[in-house]
Amino acid sequence: MAKVVKFGGSSLADAQQFEKVKSIITADGARRFVVPSAPGKRYSGDTKVTDMLYNCYDLAVKGKDFSKEFEKIKERYNSIISELGLEISLDEEFDVVKACFIGKAGRDYAASRGEYLNGIVLANYLGFSFIDAADVIFFNDAGQFDPKKTRKVLSERLESLENAVIPGFYGSMPNDTIKTFSRGGSDITGSIVAAAVGADIYENWTDVSGFLTCDPRIVDDPEPIKVITYKELRELSYMGATVLHEDAIFPVRKAGIPINIKNTNKPDDAGTMIVESTSQKPAYTITGIAGKKGFTVVNIEKDMMNAEVGFGRKVLEVFEKNGICFEHMPSGIDTMSVVVHQAEFAPKEQEILSGLHRNCQPDVIDIETDLALIAVVGRAMKSNRGTAGRIFSALAHAHVNVKMIDQGSSELNIIIGVSEDDFEKAMKAIYDIFVSTKL
Ligand code: ADP
Ligand code: ASP
Ligand code: MG
């Protein structure tokens, strides 16, 4: 029996958190493979070590003095080491990192040291073997994760070990330089390790008691979800429920390994089980709500658009040529709307507008900015009549104007576009109508 356990930054933010982590691991002998993040925030307003490293490296690259900032990073680790009474010293490691910063070893290298150093400390504290992720997690020349090579090397390496600590977030390129996943990527490492050892379960330990029905920064104390499917989770994490990196499900999903989101600060809470499929009915019609700000809608109008073969292709071609992905594309008889990320669209705006005029000869193009998208997700929505009606009446009661609606063909989600100013109000209204009223 093997369990892979990943601990996020807040779970390893200081010595006290390390103690909780150790008691969780020693409570179950199957918890053999541990994937740590870098030390995170100890209190709100604190800075994650990863961010400290990025800042420090940016100074180094500009040729500025970064010793003061570097000392603060050292202090984070040294206080953990001394408060835990460990006998190791990271001084030599710190010297190497500092020299590599001066030698401009790369931003990914810099960020990865957060996990690397934390892994050394945690392995020493637990008495587990330490494995540098650079030796077992691989990326190809294009910077994409290389699952084949990783799986072979990683599973061979872990096979002979009773237990090990493998730092999250990074791996190496064919030329031996360090490459990281995107932010929050230790979740992906945990999933890769779980697949490589054929784990019975991948436990992802964080600072909330599971995947919650709504963002806890918007709704106070939202209820945790007991069981969620990979598909539902992907919809929610893509739309901003960042508790688990959206790419973390692929490796375990292929191997049929469930993920359990657990709370390091409340280890007895059941947390959330993430599974392929389930006969368990969700507690409510909806499984969860998530949302993000920062979208723009490009509305294109043209009389008789529907009769023009290839119109949609011509529109999308313009976005494609400018390297812009679209999120949604609701359409009417004579209108088509393309929803895009504002930050990607804004710098290319004029090229896209002139491209659309040239390619499609529209009557009117109108752009609406500062839109928020909300995804209402649930496997039970399909079999419950009136779900959309309830969402819209809740929003109408809350005086929220709905600017866009899109229902996925799987009936797993309904996406709603509202003005950014209405975002929090809309999220709360939807949460209340489904979860607070227990319907
Ligand atoms: P870790 O450092 O453990 O990886 P993260 O900060 O990446 O933790 O993810 C946990 C955080 O995700 C929570 O503290 C919470 O603020 C946020 N979050 C956003 N949406 C949700 C949600 N639907 N359920 C749970 N947490 C959420
Ligand atoms: N430490 C990295 C970050 O802050 C990776 C992670 O925490 O998963 O993004
Ligand atoms: Mg995270």
mmCIF file with all atom_site columns, all heavy atoms in Angstrom, residues 22-47:
data_model
loop_
_atom_site.group_PDB
_atom_site.id
_atom_site.type_symbol
_atom_site.label_atom_id
_atom_site.label_alt_id
_atom_site.label_comp_id
_atom_site.label_asym_id
_atom_site.label_entity_id
_atom_site.label_seq_id
_atom_site.pdbx_PDB_ins_code
_atom_site.Cartn_x
_atom_site.Cartn_y
_atom_site.Cartn_z
_atom_site.occupancy
_atom_site.B_iso_or_equiv
_atom_site.pdbx_formal_charge
_atom_site.auth_seq_id
_atom_site.auth_comp_id
_atom_site.auth_asym_id
_atom_site.auth_atom_id
_atom_site.pdbx_PDB_model_num
ATOM 1   N N   . LYS A 1 22 ? 4.454  16.203 10.062 1.00 0.00 ? 22 LYS A N   1
ATOM 2   C CA  . LYS A 1 22 ? 5.096  14.959 10.518 1.00 0.00 ? 22 LYS A CA  1
ATOM 3   C C   . LYS A 1 22 ? 4.076  14.056 11.216 1.00 0.00 ? 22 LYS A C   1
ATOM 4   O O   . LYS A 1 22 ? 4.057  12.840 10.996 1.00 0.00 ? 22 LYS A O   1
ATOM 5   C CB  . LYS A 1 22 ? 6.247  15.272 11.472 1.00 0.00 ? 22 LYS A CB  1
ATOM 6   C CG  . LYS A 1 22 ? 7.016  14.023 11.862 1.00 0.00 ? 22 LYS A CG  1
ATOM 7   C CD  . LYS A 1 22 ? 8.269  14.369 12.640 1.00 0.00 ? 22 LYS A CD  1
ATOM 8   C CE  . LYS A 1 22 ? 9.107  13.124 12.876 1.00 0.00 ? 22 LYS A CE  1
ATOM 9   N NZ  . LYS A 1 22 ? 10.422 13.450 13.400 1.00 0.00 ? 22 LYS A NZ  1
ATOM 10  N N   . SER A 1 23 ? 3.209  14.650 12.035 1.00 0.00 ? 23 SER A N   1
ATOM 11  C CA  . SER A 1 23 ? 2.285  13.752 12.739 1.00 0.00 ? 23 SER A CA  1
ATOM 12  C C   . SER A 1 23 ? 1.267  13.140 11.764 1.00 0.00 ? 23 SER A C   1
ATOM 13  O O   . SER A 1 23 ? 0.830  12.009 11.951 1.00 0.00 ? 23 SER A O   1
ATOM 14  C CB  . SER A 1 23 ? 1.634  14.429 13.949 1.00 0.00 ? 23 SER A CB  1
ATOM 15  O OG  . SER A 1 23 ? 0.815  15.459 13.521 1.00 0.00 ? 23 SER A OG  1
ATOM 16  N N   . ILE A 1 24 ? 0.929  13.869 10.715 1.00 0.00 ? 24 ILE A N   1
ATOM 17  C CA  . ILE A 1 24 ? 0.028  13.292 9.699  1.00 0.00 ? 24 ILE A CA  1
ATOM 18  C C   . ILE A 1 24 ? 0.724  12.114 8.996  1.00 0.00 ? 24 ILE A C   1
ATOM 19  O O   . ILE A 1 24 ? 0.150  11.040 8.810  1.00 0.00 ? 24 ILE A O   1
ATOM 20  C CB  . ILE A 1 24 ? -0.381 14.375 8.659  1.00 0.00 ? 24 ILE A CB  1
ATOM 21  C CG1 . ILE A 1 24 ? -1.326 15.384 9.304  1.00 0.00 ? 24 ILE A CG1 1
ATOM 22  C CG2 . ILE A 1 24 ? -1.006 13.743 7.409  1.00 0.00 ? 24 ILE A CG2 1
ATOM 23  C CD1 . ILE A 1 24 ? -1.547 16.656 8.506  1.00 0.00 ? 24 ILE A CD1 1
ATOM 24  N N   . ILE A 1 25 ? 1.986  12.306 8.645  1.00 0.00 ? 25 ILE A N   1
ATOM 25  C CA  . ILE A 1 25 ? 2.711  11.254 7.908  1.00 0.00 ? 25 ILE A CA  1
ATOM 26  C C   . ILE A 1 25 ? 2.943  10.027 8.798  1.00 0.00 ? 25 ILE A C   1
ATOM 27  O O   . ILE A 1 25 ? 2.718  8.891  8.367  1.00 0.00 ? 25 ILE A O   1
ATOM 28  C CB  . ILE A 1 25 ? 4.043  11.812 7.354  1.00 0.00 ? 25 ILE A CB  1
ATOM 29  C CG1 . ILE A 1 25 ? 3.731  12.848 6.260  1.00 0.00 ? 25 ILE A CG1 1
ATOM 30  C CG2 . ILE A 1 25 ? 4.923  10.690 6.791  1.00 0.00 ? 25 ILE A CG2 1
ATOM 31  C CD1 . ILE A 1 25 ? 4.907  13.652 5.789  1.00 0.00 ? 25 ILE A CD1 1
ATOM 32  N N   . THR A 1 26 ? 3.337  10.263 10.051 1.00 0.00 ? 26 THR A N   1
ATOM 33  C CA  . THR A 1 26 ? 3.639  9.104  10.902 1.00 0.00 ? 26 THR A CA  1
ATOM 34  C C   . THR A 1 26 ? 2.366  8.376  11.358 1.00 0.00 ? 26 THR A C   1
ATOM 35  O O   . THR A 1 26 ? 2.426  7.225  11.782 1.00 0.00 ? 26 THR A O   1
ATOM 36  C CB  . THR A 1 26 ? 4.489  9.508  12.119 1.00 0.00 ? 26 THR A CB  1
ATOM 37  O OG1 . THR A 1 26 ? 3.875  10.651 12.712 1.00 0.00 ? 26 THR A OG1 1
ATOM 38  C CG2 . THR A 1 26 ? 5.904  9.862  11.725 1.00 0.00 ? 26 THR A CG2 1
ATOM 39  N N   . ALA A 1 27 ? 1.225  9.056  11.248 1.00 0.00 ? 27 ALA A N   1
ATOM 40  C CA  . ALA A 1 27 ? -0.027 8.409  11.666 1.00 0.00 ? 27 ALA A CA  1
ATOM 41  C C   . ALA A 1 27 ? -0.427 7.273  10.721 1.00 0.00 ? 27 ALA A C   1
ATOM 42  O O   . ALA A 1 27 ? -1.286 6.455  11.051 1.00 0.00 ? 27 ALA A O   1
ATOM 43  C CB  . ALA A 1 27 ? -1.146 9.445  11.726 1.00 0.00 ? 27 ALA A CB  1
ATOM 44  N N   . ASP A 1 28 ? 0.151  7.231  9.528  1.00 0.00 ? 28 ASP A N   1
ATOM 45  C CA  . ASP A 1 28 ? -0.229 6.212  8.547  1.00 0.00 ? 28 ASP A CA  1
ATOM 46  C C   . ASP A 1 28 ? 1.017  5.782  7.768  1.00 0.00 ? 28 ASP A C   1
ATOM 47  O O   . ASP A 1 28 ? 1.560  6.559  6.969  1.00 0.00 ? 28 ASP A O   1
ATOM 48  C CB  . ASP A 1 28 ? -1.290 6.820  7.606  1.00 0.00 ? 28 ASP A CB  1
ATOM 49  C CG  . ASP A 1 28 ? -1.804 5.820  6.581  1.00 0.00 ? 28 ASP A CG  1
ATOM 50  O OD1 . ASP A 1 28 ? -1.191 4.733  6.433  1.00 0.00 ? 28 ASP A OD1 1
ATOM 51  O OD2 . ASP A 1 28 ? -2.810 6.135  5.917  1.00 0.00 ? 28 ASP A OD2 1
ATOM 52  N N   . GLY A 1 29 ? 1.452  4.555  8.032  1.00 0.00 ? 29 GLY A N   1
ATOM 53  C CA  . GLY A 1 29 ? 2.674  4.036  7.419  1.00 0.00 ? 29 GLY A CA  1
ATOM 54  C C   . GLY A 1 29 ? 2.619  3.968  5.900  1.00 0.00 ? 29 GLY A C   1
ATOM 55  O O   . GLY A 1 29 ? 3.653  3.872  5.226  1.00 0.00 ? 29 GLY A O   1
ATOM 56  N N   . ALA A 1 30 ? 1.409  4.037  5.335  1.00 0.00 ? 30 ALA A N   1
ATOM 57  C CA  . ALA A 1 30 ? 1.294  3.992  3.872  1.00 0.00 ? 30 ALA A CA  1
ATOM 58  C C   . ALA A 1 30 ? 1.686  5.324  3.235  1.00 0.00 ? 30 ALA A C   1
ATOM 59  O O   . ALA A 1 30 ? 1.916  5.412  2.025  1.00 0.00 ? 30 ALA A O   1
ATOM 60  C CB  . ALA A 1 30 ? -0.132 3.626  3.480  1.00 0.00 ? 30 ALA A CB  1
ATOM 61  N N   . ARG A 1 31 ? 1.778  6.366  4.045  1.00 0.00 ? 31 ARG A N   1
ATOM 62  C CA  . ARG A 1 31 ? 2.143  7.699  3.505  1.00 0.00 ? 31 ARG A CA  1
ATOM 63  C C   . ARG A 1 31 ? 3.647  7.730  3.283  1.00 0.00 ? 31 ARG A C   1
ATOM 64  O O   . ARG A 1 31 ? 4.403  8.318  4.053  1.00 0.00 ? 31 ARG A O   1
ATOM 65  C CB  . ARG A 1 31 ? 1.667  8.807  4.453  1.00 0.00 ? 31 ARG A CB  1
ATOM 66  C CG  . ARG A 1 31 ? 0.148  8.875  4.514  1.00 0.00 ? 31 ARG A CG  1
ATOM 67  C CD  . ARG A 1 31 ? -0.371 10.018 5.378  1.00 0.00 ? 31 ARG A CD  1
ATOM 68  N NE  . ARG A 1 31 ? -1.833 10.051 5.275  1.00 0.00 ? 31 ARG A NE  1
ATOM 69  C CZ  . ARG A 1 31 ? -2.677 10.147 6.301  1.00 0.00 ? 31 ARG A CZ  1
ATOM 70  N NH1 . ARG A 1 31 ? -2.204 10.268 7.538  1.00 0.00 ? 31 ARG A NH1 1
ATOM 71  N NH2 . ARG A 1 31 ? -3.976 10.157 6.107  1.00 0.00 ? 31 ARG A NH2 1
ATOM 72  N N   . ARG A 1 32 ? 4.083  7.105  2.202  1.00 0.00 ? 32 ARG A N   1
ATOM 73  C CA  . ARG A 1 32 ? 5.515  6.865  1.996  1.00 0.00 ? 32 ARG A CA  1
ATOM 74  C C   . ARG A 1 32 ? 6.202  7.901  1.111  1.00 0.00 ? 32 ARG A C   1
ATOM 75  O O   . ARG A 1 32 ? 7.403  8.085  1.199  1.00 0.00 ? 32 ARG A O   1
ATOM 76  C CB  . ARG A 1 32 ? 5.698  5.467  1.388  1.00 0.00 ? 32 ARG A CB  1
ATOM 77  C CG  . ARG A 1 32 ? 5.316  4.354  2.368  1.00 0.00 ? 32 ARG A CG  1
ATOM 78  C CD  . ARG A 1 32 ? 5.211  3.007  1.663  1.00 0.00 ? 32 ARG A CD  1
ATOM 79  N NE  . ARG A 1 32 ? 6.318  2.765  0.770  1.00 0.00 ? 32 ARG A NE  1
ATOM 80  C CZ  . ARG A 1 32 ? 6.262  1.941  -0.279 1.00 0.00 ? 32 ARG A CZ  1
ATOM 81  N NH1 . ARG A 1 32 ? 5.154  1.287  -0.558 1.00 0.00 ? 32 ARG A NH1 1
ATOM 82  N NH2 . ARG A 1 32 ? 7.323  1.764  -1.052 1.00 0.00 ? 32 ARG A NH2 1
ATOM 83  N N   . PHE A 1 33 ? 5.448  8.495  0.190  1.00 0.00 ? 33 PHE A N   1
ATOM 84  C CA  . PHE A 1 33 ? 6.095  9.428  -0.745 1.00 0.00 ? 33 PHE A CA  1
ATOM 85  C C   . PHE A 1 33 ? 5.509  10.824 -0.553 1.00 0.00 ? 33 PHE A C   1
ATOM 86  O O   . PHE A 1 33 ? 4.300  11.014 -0.658 1.00 0.00 ? 33 PHE A O   1
ATOM 87  C CB  . PHE A 1 33 ? 5.924  8.932  -2.179 1.00 0.00 ? 33 PHE A CB  1
ATOM 88  C CG  . PHE A 1 33 ? 6.512  7.564  -2.361 1.00 0.00 ? 33 PHE A CG  1
ATOM 89  C CD1 . PHE A 1 33 ? 5.704  6.441  -2.478 1.00 0.00 ? 33 PHE A CD1 1
ATOM 90  C CD2 . PHE A 1 33 ? 7.891  7.395  -2.363 1.00 0.00 ? 33 PHE A CD2 1
ATOM 91  C CE1 . PHE A 1 33 ? 6.255  5.169  -2.598 1.00 0.00 ? 33 PHE A CE1 1
ATOM 92  C CE2 . PHE A 1 33 ? 8.448  6.123  -2.486 1.00 0.00 ? 33 PHE A CE2 1
ATOM 93  C CZ  . PHE A 1 33 ? 7.636  5.013  -2.608 1.00 0.00 ? 33 PHE A CZ  1
ATOM 94  N N   . VAL A 1 34 ? 6.415  11.753 -0.246 1.00 0.00 ? 34 VAL A N   1
ATOM 95  C CA  . VAL A 1 34 ? 5.982  13.083 0.186  1.00 0.00 ? 34 VAL A CA  1
ATOM 96  C C   . VAL A 1 34 ? 6.458  14.139 -0.815 1.00 0.00 ? 34 VAL A C   1
ATOM 97  O O   . VAL A 1 34 ? 7.639  14.171 -1.170 1.00 0.00 ? 34 VAL A O   1
ATOM 98  C CB  . VAL A 1 34 ? 6.571  13.395 1.576  1.00 0.00 ? 34 VAL A CB  1
ATOM 99  C CG1 . VAL A 1 34 ? 6.059  14.737 2.081  1.00 0.00 ? 34 VAL A CG1 1
ATOM 100 C CG2 . VAL A 1 34 ? 6.230  12.286 2.573  1.00 0.00 ? 34 VAL A CG2 1
ATOM 101 N N   . VAL A 1 35 ? 5.545  14.977 -1.265 1.00 0.00 ? 35 VAL A N   1
ATOM 102 C CA  . VAL A 1 35 ? 5.891  16.054 -2.197 1.00 0.00 ? 35 VAL A CA  1
ATOM 103 C C   . VAL A 1 35 ? 5.617  17.403 -1.519 1.00 0.00 ? 35 VAL A C   1
ATOM 104 O O   . VAL A 1 35 ? 4.465  17.751 -1.291 1.00 0.00 ? 35 VAL A O   1
ATOM 105 C CB  . VAL A 1 35 ? 5.069  15.931 -3.503 1.00 0.00 ? 35 VAL A CB  1
ATOM 106 C CG1 . VAL A 1 35 ? 5.343  17.113 -4.442 1.00 0.00 ? 35 VAL A CG1 1
ATOM 107 C CG2 . VAL A 1 35 ? 5.371  14.612 -4.213 1.00 0.00 ? 35 VAL A CG2 1
ATOM 108 N N   . PRO A 1 36 ? 6.671  18.127 -1.134 1.00 0.00 ? 36 PRO A N   1
ATOM 109 C CA  . PRO A 1 36 ? 6.457  19.422 -0.481 1.00 0.00 ? 36 PRO A CA  1
ATOM 110 C C   . PRO A 1 36 ? 6.497  20.600 -1.446 1.00 0.00 ? 36 PRO A C   1
ATOM 111 O O   . PRO A 1 36 ? 7.191  20.572 -2.457 1.00 0.00 ? 36 PRO A O   1
ATOM 112 C CB  . PRO A 1 36 ? 7.655  19.512 0.473  1.00 0.00 ? 36 PRO A CB  1
ATOM 113 C CG  . PRO A 1 36 ? 8.748  18.765 -0.239 1.00 0.00 ? 36 PRO A CG  1
ATOM 114 C CD  . PRO A 1 36 ? 8.095  17.720 -1.126 1.00 0.00 ? 36 PRO A CD  1
ATOM 115 N N   . SER A 1 37 ? 5.746  21.660 -1.093 1.00 0.00 ? 37 SER A N   1
ATOM 116 C CA  . SER A 1 37 ? 5.899  22.966 -1.752 1.00 0.00 ? 37 SER A CA  1
ATOM 117 C C   . SER A 1 37 ? 6.945  23.753 -0.981 1.00 0.00 ? 37 SER A C   1
ATOM 118 O O   . SER A 1 37 ? 7.430  23.308 0.055  1.00 0.00 ? 37 SER A O   1
ATOM 119 C CB  . SER A 1 37 ? 4.591  23.751 -1.681 1.00 0.00 ? 37 SER A CB  1
ATOM 120 O OG  . SER A 1 37 ? 3.655  23.254 -2.571 1.00 0.00 ? 37 SER A OG  1
ATOM 121 N N   . ALA A 1 38 ? 7.210  24.960 -1.458 1.00 0.00 ? 38 ALA A N   1
ATOM 122 C CA  . ALA A 1 38 ? 8.084  25.876 -0.717 1.00 0.00 ? 38 ALA A CA  1
ATOM 123 C C   . ALA A 1 38 ? 7.290  26.477 0.435  1.00 0.00 ? 38 ALA A C   1
ATOM 124 O O   . ALA A 1 38 ? 6.059  26.522 0.378  1.00 0.00 ? 38 ALA A O   1
ATOM 125 C CB  . ALA A 1 38 ? 8.552  26.972 -1.656 1.00 0.00 ? 38 ALA A CB  1
ATOM 126 N N   . PRO A 1 39 ? 7.974  26.947 1.495  1.00 0.00 ? 39 PRO A N   1
ATOM 127 C CA  . PRO A 1 39 ? 7.226  27.569 2.589  1.00 0.00 ? 39 PRO A CA  1
ATOM 128 C C   . PRO A 1 39 ? 6.343  28.726 2.088  1.00 0.00 ? 39 PRO A C   1
ATOM 129 O O   . PRO A 1 39 ? 6.802  29.589 1.357  1.00 0.00 ? 39 PRO A O   1
ATOM 130 C CB  . PRO A 1 39 ? 8.345  28.098 3.514  1.00 0.00 ? 39 PRO A CB  1
ATOM 131 C CG  . PRO A 1 39 ? 9.536  27.261 3.199  1.00 0.00 ? 39 PRO A CG  1
ATOM 132 C CD  . PRO A 1 39 ? 9.435  26.938 1.747  1.00 0.00 ? 39 PRO A CD  1
ATOM 133 N N   . GLY A 1 40 ? 5.073  28.679 2.478  1.00 0.00 ? 40 GLY A N   1
ATOM 134 C CA  . GLY A 1 40 ? 4.124  29.694 2.011  1.00 0.00 ? 40 GLY A CA  1
ATOM 135 C C   . GLY A 1 40 ? 3.913  30.777 3.040  1.00 0.00 ? 40 GLY A C   1
ATOM 136 O O   . GLY A 1 40 ? 4.793  31.048 3.871  1.00 0.00 ? 40 GLY A O   1
ATOM 137 N N   . LYS A 1 41 ? 2.722  31.371 3.006  1.00 0.00 ? 41 LYS A N   1
ATOM 138 C CA  . LYS A 1 41 ? 2.428  32.478 3.925  1.00 0.00 ? 41 LYS A CA  1
ATOM 139 C C   . LYS A 1 41 ? 2.148  31.954 5.332  1.00 0.00 ? 41 LYS A C   1
ATOM 140 O O   . LYS A 1 41 ? 1.385  31.019 5.497  1.00 0.00 ? 41 LYS A O   1
ATOM 141 C CB  . LYS A 1 41 ? 1.194  33.232 3.435  1.00 0.00 ? 41 LYS A CB  1
ATOM 142 C CG  . LYS A 1 41 ? 1.413  33.947 2.133  1.00 0.00 ? 41 LYS A CG  1
ATOM 143 C CD  . LYS A 1 41 ? 0.176  34.743 1.762  1.00 0.00 ? 41 LYS A CD  1
ATOM 144 C CE  . LYS A 1 41 ? 0.394  35.390 0.412  1.00 0.00 ? 41 LYS A CE  1
ATOM 145 N NZ  . LYS A 1 41 ? -0.682 36.241 -0.004 1.00 0.00 ? 41 LYS A NZ  1
ATOM 146 N N   . ARG A 1 42 ? 2.765  32.616 6.335  1.00 0.00 ? 42 ARG A N   1
ATOM 147 C CA  . ARG A 1 42 ? 2.515  32.228 7.734  1.00 0.00 ? 42 ARG A CA  1
ATOM 148 C C   . ARG A 1 42 ? 1.299  32.954 8.288  1.00 0.00 ? 42 ARG A C   1
ATOM 149 O O   . ARG A 1 42 ? 0.691  32.558 9.241  1.00 0.00 ? 42 ARG A O   1
ATOM 150 C CB  . ARG A 1 42 ? 3.745  32.558 8.593  1.00 0.00 ? 42 ARG A CB  1
ATOM 151 C CG  . ARG A 1 42 ? 4.949  31.705 8.228  1.00 0.00 ? 42 ARG A CG  1
ATOM 152 C CD  . ARG A 1 42 ? 6.230  32.331 8.711  1.00 0.00 ? 42 ARG A CD  1
ATOM 153 N NE  . ARG A 1 42 ? 6.505  33.564 7.962  1.00 0.00 ? 42 ARG A NE  1
ATOM 154 C CZ  . ARG A 1 42 ? 7.596  34.304 8.104  1.00 0.00 ? 42 ARG A CZ  1
ATOM 155 N NH1 . ARG A 1 42 ? 8.514  33.938 8.979  1.00 0.00 ? 42 ARG A NH1 1
ATOM 156 N NH2 . ARG A 1 42 ? 7.791  35.395 7.394  1.00 0.00 ? 42 ARG A NH2 1
ATOM 157 N N   . TYR A 1 43 ? 0.996  34.082 7.677  1.00 0.00 ? 43 TYR A N   1
ATOM 158 C CA  . TYR A 1 43 ? -0.157 34.890 8.090  1.00 0.00 ? 43 TYR A CA  1
ATOM 159 C C   . TYR A 1 43 ? -0.536 35.721 6.866  1.00 0.00 ? 43 TYR A C   1
ATOM 160 O O   . TYR A 1 43 ? 0.271  35.851 5.929  1.00 0.00 ? 43 TYR A O   1
ATOM 161 C CB  . TYR A 1 43 ? 0.209  35.795 9.273  1.00 0.00 ? 43 TYR A CB  1
ATOM 162 C CG  . TYR A 1 43 ? 1.552  36.466 9.108  1.00 0.00 ? 43 TYR A CG  1
ATOM 163 C CD1 . TYR A 1 43 ? 1.678  37.662 8.401  1.00 0.00 ? 43 TYR A CD1 1
ATOM 164 C CD2 . TYR A 1 43 ? 2.721  35.869 9.609  1.00 0.00 ? 43 TYR A CD2 1
ATOM 165 C CE1 . TYR A 1 43 ? 2.913  38.257 8.210  1.00 0.00 ? 43 TYR A CE1 1
ATOM 166 C CE2 . TYR A 1 43 ? 3.961  36.466 9.420  1.00 0.00 ? 43 TYR A CE2 1
ATOM 167 C CZ  . TYR A 1 43 ? 4.046  37.663 8.716  1.00 0.00 ? 43 TYR A CZ  1
ATOM 168 O OH  . TYR A 1 43 ? 5.277  38.241 8.518  1.00 0.00 ? 43 TYR A OH  1
ATOM 169 N N   . SER A 1 44 ? -1.762 36.273 6.868  1.00 0.00 ? 44 SER A N   1
ATOM 170 C CA  . SER A 1 44 ? -2.138 37.034 5.668  1.00 0.00 ? 44 SER A CA  1
ATOM 171 C C   . SER A 1 44 ? -1.265 38.281 5.614  1.00 0.00 ? 44 SER A C   1
ATOM 172 O O   . SER A 1 44 ? -0.993 38.921 6.629  1.00 0.00 ? 44 SER A O   1
ATOM 173 C CB  . SER A 1 44 ? -3.624 37.369 5.673  1.00 0.00 ? 44 SER A CB  1
ATOM 174 O OG  . SER A 1 44 ? -3.867 38.450 6.499  1.00 0.00 ? 44 SER A OG  1
ATOM 175 N N   . GLY A 1 45 ? -0.769 38.580 4.441  1.00 0.00 ? 45 GLY A N   1
ATOM 176 C CA  . GLY A 1 45 ? 0.148  39.708 4.313  1.00 0.00 ? 45 GLY A CA  1
ATOM 177 C C   . GLY A 1 45 ? 1.609  39.257 4.283  1.00 0.00 ? 45 GLY A C   1
ATOM 178 O O   . GLY A 1 45 ? 2.491  40.044 3.956  1.00 0.00 ? 45 GLY A O   1
ATOM 179 N N   . ASP A 1 46 ? 1.847  37.986 4.635  1.00 0.00 ? 46 ASP A N   1
ATOM 180 C CA  . ASP A 1 46 ? 3.212  37.442 4.552  1.00 0.00 ? 46 ASP A CA  1
ATOM 181 C C   . ASP A 1 46 ? 3.544  37.156 3.077  1.00 0.00 ? 46 ASP A C   1
ATOM 182 O O   . ASP A 1 46 ? 2.660  37.161 2.217  1.00 0.00 ? 46 ASP A O   1
ATOM 183 C CB  . ASP A 1 46 ? 3.265  36.129 5.367  1.00 0.00 ? 46 ASP A CB  1
ATOM 184 C CG  . ASP A 1 46 ? 4.693  35.676 5.639  1.00 0.00 ? 46 ASP A CG  1
ATOM 185 O OD1 . ASP A 1 46 ? 5.617  36.488 5.484  1.00 0.00 ? 46 ASP A OD1 1
ATOM 186 O OD2 . ASP A 1 46 ? 4.878  34.496 6.028  1.00 0.00 ? 46 ASP A OD2 1
ATOM 187 N N   . THR A 1 47 ? 4.837  36.912 2.786  1.00 0.00 ? 47 THR A N   1
ATOM 188 C CA  . THR A 1 47 ? 5.232  36.614 1.399  1.00 0.00 ? 47 THR A CA  1
ATOM 189 C C   . THR A 1 47 ? 5.685  35.159 1.289  1.00 0.00 ? 47 THR A C   1
ATOM 190 O O   . THR A 1 47 ? 6.434  34.674 2.140  1.00 0.00 ? 47 THR A O   1
ATOM 191 C CB  . THR A 1 47 ? 6.394  37.539 0.966  1.00 0.00 ? 47 THR A CB  1
ATOM 192 O OG1 . THR A 1 47 ? 6.025  38.875 1.307  1.00 0.00 ? 47 THR A OG1 1
ATOM 193 C CG2 . THR A 1 47 ? 6.652  37.464 -0.522 1.00 0.00 ? 47 THR A CG2 1
#
